[in-house]
Amino acid sequence: MLYGRAAERAAIQAVLDGARASRGGALVLRGEPGVGKSALLADAIGEAADVRVIASAGVESESPLAFAALQRLLGPLTPLLGRLPLRQADALHAALGGGGGPAGDPDDRFLVFLATLSLLAEAGQDGPVLAVVDDAHWLDESSAAALLFAARRLADEPVAMLFAARDGDPRHFDSGDLPVLAVRGLGAADASALLRAAADPVDPAVADALVTATAGNPLALVEVPAGLTTAQRRGEEPLPAALPVAAEVERAFLDRARPLDEAAWTWLLVAAVDDSGREGTVRRAATALGVPEGAAEAVERSGLLRLRDGTVELRHPLVRSAAHAAATGAALRR
């Protein structure tokens, strides 16, 4: 069950209904890790019983491999290659690893892009098609370019395309002018309902604290209670300073910290363990640890926090928990 997603589901349903009426289109779901993009894609697939669904996801380890994601997504449609113009069919066949045909040019990206659109359109002649691409920020550049080329040209085709990509990831999915659906954390009422469904019992005051600490992130709300003691869930013991966040969420936030040098990482950790939110306090503490002055700006450029009006604002409350979890005990004590 999805909590508090009526508006998001309606936007996705409109794209699906358009494909059913031969008014193709695309939609890009964007949001923080764990906010529910994949759940919305799964819900869309579940609502598309009368539609042919092809689905894939970007894979980080395959991101350097040209057309790797396109091969996985279009694989089920390759029996339709014979309907395409010969040069398009040969180019796409070669790009998907099938070898070059007599009239094909595997280096002609435009033909591959055009063939991707043509193949989706041909599949649509047999009934509406939904193409779903999760983790689009990890698509290889060639696949992303081909799919975006097609997504912008579906107006008269019975084809819908849904992409999901993380906000602020080091690998950015540049979807250009495609419509974007911003997926945010759940509101207080829906977040509390999800929390109660995920773990029972949870004291109301504890639930409020967890909703605030996770900014309504659904994955965190489901995962965090499992890492708490019964006494903590009941409000009989205080919550830990750093919540036990899901590994996926922790890794996604820390991916942004990978380029930071040791000084910038220390500055980030100081900001994470501080509970005042005052920039002056964090700067003085970092200076006492021997961190040079420019480290703060390096952390800000990473997008993990923002310095504004004398305050330190973490990009997301879960950055604090992720930084805690990644730090050594010695670093935290220092």
Side-chain angles (χ1 to χ4, degrees):
M1 176 179 178
L2 293 180
Y3 290 83
R5 295 304 190 195
E8 291 88 345
R9 295 181 75 197
I12 292 170
Q13 192 62 48
V15 178
L16 273 171
D17 289 343
R20 292 183 176 106
S22 295
R23 298 189 309 273
L27 186 64
V28 181
L29 283 61
R30 290 193 179 275
E32 299 285 1
V35 81
K37 303 180 297 299
S38 297
L40 284 165
L41 293 183
D43 181 72
I45 291 172
E47 293 295 318
D50 60 329
V51 174
R52 180 173 188 174
V53 177
I54 57 173
S56 187
V59 177
E60 186 176 14
S61 62
E62 294 185 1
S63 58
L65 306 177
F67 295 117
L70 194 68
Q71 189 275 333
R72 282 185 281 104
L73 181 68
L74 298 185
L77 303 184
T78 52
L80 304 180
L81 280 173
R83 300 188 192 177
L84 271 56
L86 181 60
R87 291 189 65 207
Q88 289 186 35
D90 284 349
L92 185 56
H93 183 65
L96 301 185
D105 180 4
D107 296 323
D108 193 334
R109 286 162 58 91
F110 177 72
L111 278 177
V112 174
F113 296 174
L114 195 60
T116 298
L117 173 62
S118 298
L119 189 62
L120 290 169
E122 283 298 328
Q125 298 308 304
D126 301 327
V129 174
L130 171 62
V132 176
V133 181
D134 203 355
D135 289 331
H137 49 283
W138 283 335
L139 289 175
D140 61 273
E141 185 274 334
S142 298
S143 293
L147 292 172
L148 290 171
F149 177 92
R152 296 187 179 100
R153 292 166 173 79
L154 295 174
D156 299 319
E157 307 295 346
V159 179
M161 297 184 74
L162 298 177
F163 300 89
R166 287 178 185 165
D167 273 341
D169 195 86
R171 287 187 58 88
H172 179 64
F173 177 60
D174 186 4
S175 57
D177 56 353
L178 291 184
V180 172
L181 176 63
V183 184
R184 309 297 188 196
L186 297 176
D190 292 310
S192 295
L194 174 59
L195 191 56
R196 288 194 299 271
D200 187 51
V202 178
D203 179 81
V206 173
D208 290 344
L210 292 177
V211 171
T212 299
T214 61
N217 184 290
L219 180 60
L221 287 169
V222 170
E223 296 286 343
V224 165
L228 303 177
T229 66
T230 300
Q232 287 172 331
R233 290 197 296 269
R234 290 175 175 171
E236 298 166 356
E237 294 179 358
L239 293 174
L243 296 176
V245 299
E248 176 188 342
V249 177
E250 177 186 321
R251 179 182 175 227
F253 282 123
L254 291 179
D255 277 347
R256 303 177 195 174
R258 284 180 181 175
L260 298 178
D261 60 22
E262 183 178 355
W265 166 252
T266 301
W267 208 98
L268 173 62
L269 186 58
V270 171
V273 300
D274 168 67
D275 60 3
S276 72
R278 292 191 292 270
E279 182 180 347
T281 299
V282 176
R283 284 189 181 274
R284 287 193 298 274
T287 298
L289 292 172
V291 177
E293 188 65 27
E297 286 64 39
V299 180
E300 188 172 27
R301 286 193 298 271
S302 75
L304 288 166
L305 55 74
R306 180 170 58 177
L307 306 176
R308 185 174 63 174
D309 300 328
T311 63
V312 178
E313 299 177 359
L314 296 176
R315 178 185 179 94
H316 193 283
L318 292 175
V319 171
R320 187 185 311 279
S321 294
H324 267 262
T328 65
L332 288 170
R333 289 191 295 274
R334 182 165 175 256

